[in-house]
Every structure is written in structure tokens, then in C-alpha cells.
Amino acid sequence: MKNGNLEQFLDTGWYMEAELYYRGYVYWCEGCTDSKTQETTFFVDCWRADCEDGKWYREYRDEANRLLDCHRAYEDTDKDMDLLKKRFLQAPIFNGKSFWQVEEDIIWVDPGEPIRIHNHA
């Protein structure tokens, strides 16, 4: 993983509003837990990144404030966070490949910041 610490991502980043960039697309990872059922829903939304000015954009909206060119790439619900994480890491979300198949090429990015490609030790 570039621009981020893999251990930190695997600990909490995968479900805490992480933005990942892979081959021209942004993957927005987020999870939320229902306090009544104690079930966590984890999802990944995906859209094409616009990098003409060296920055990516979190979302595109039309005049009615609706998201454009965004699709749900993955969604799963479970009470067991370990199972949720395991299934996410194995799912073919990233252009038909799993997280582990593309981990070395994924860039963990900050909203509106230039995509800088460097590794953190």
C-alpha cells in the first residue's frame, strides 16, 4: 500500500472512511454499525478519478446534489467484524481483483490532495 501504513489500514482504516486509488478509480470504503441490531454494514463506492490537475475528487454531483458516475462496488453486513474484513479482503472489488492481489499498487489518498506515490516504512 502506497501513501499509508498497511497495518493501520487493516486495523481500522478499511471501515473508517478510507479513500483508495487504484488504476484511475477512487474506492471509498466505509462502515456503520446499527446500535439496535449490532450489525455492521460495510460498503465500497467507486468512481472514476479526475486527475487532470493532479488531484482526485471525492465525488461528482449534479445540480440536484445527486452523485454522478458512482456505483456501489461492494456491500456486506454482519455482526462479526473479522468476517466482514476477511470477505472484503477476498472480494474481487478492484477491477476484478482482490485487495491482496493489488495491495502493492493501491494508494491511500486524502480528499482533494494530489496523488503522491511514495511508501511509508
Side-chain angles (χ1 to χ4, degrees), residues 1 6 12 17 23 26 37 49 51 53 68 70 77-79 81 86 89 107 114 119:
M1 174 172 281
L6 179 60
T12 58
E17 298 184 10
R23 294 197 176 178
V26 171
T37 66
C51 299
D53 62 358
L68 299 173
C70 179
T77 301
D78 205 305
K79 289 183 179 182
M81 291 293 283
K86 180 180 180 180
L89 294 172
I107 303 169
N119 290 310

Side-chain angles (χ1 to χ4, degrees), residues 63-120:
E63 58 278 348
N65 204 32
R66 293 179 299 229
L67 282 173
L68 299 173
D69 299 326
C70 179
H71 70 277
R72 179 78 26 113
Y74 182 78
E75 185 172 337
D76 195 5
T77 301
D78 205 305
K79 289 183 179 182
D80 187 326
M81 291 293 283
D82 290 333
L83 285 176
L84 271 178
K85 180 166 73 170
K86 180 180 180 180
R87 292 192 301 249
F88 157 66
L89 294 172
Q90 295 173 344
I93 299 168
F94 303 94
N95 197 22
K97 296 180 180 180
S98 74
F99 177 85
W100 291 120
Q101 290 174 309
V102 300
E103 180 269 325
E104 291 183 357
D105 297 321
I106 287 176
I107 303 169
W108 196 352
V109 294
D110 292 319
E113 292 296 319
I115 298 172
R116 294 183 192 94
I117 301 173
H118 62 275
N119 290 310
H120 291 278

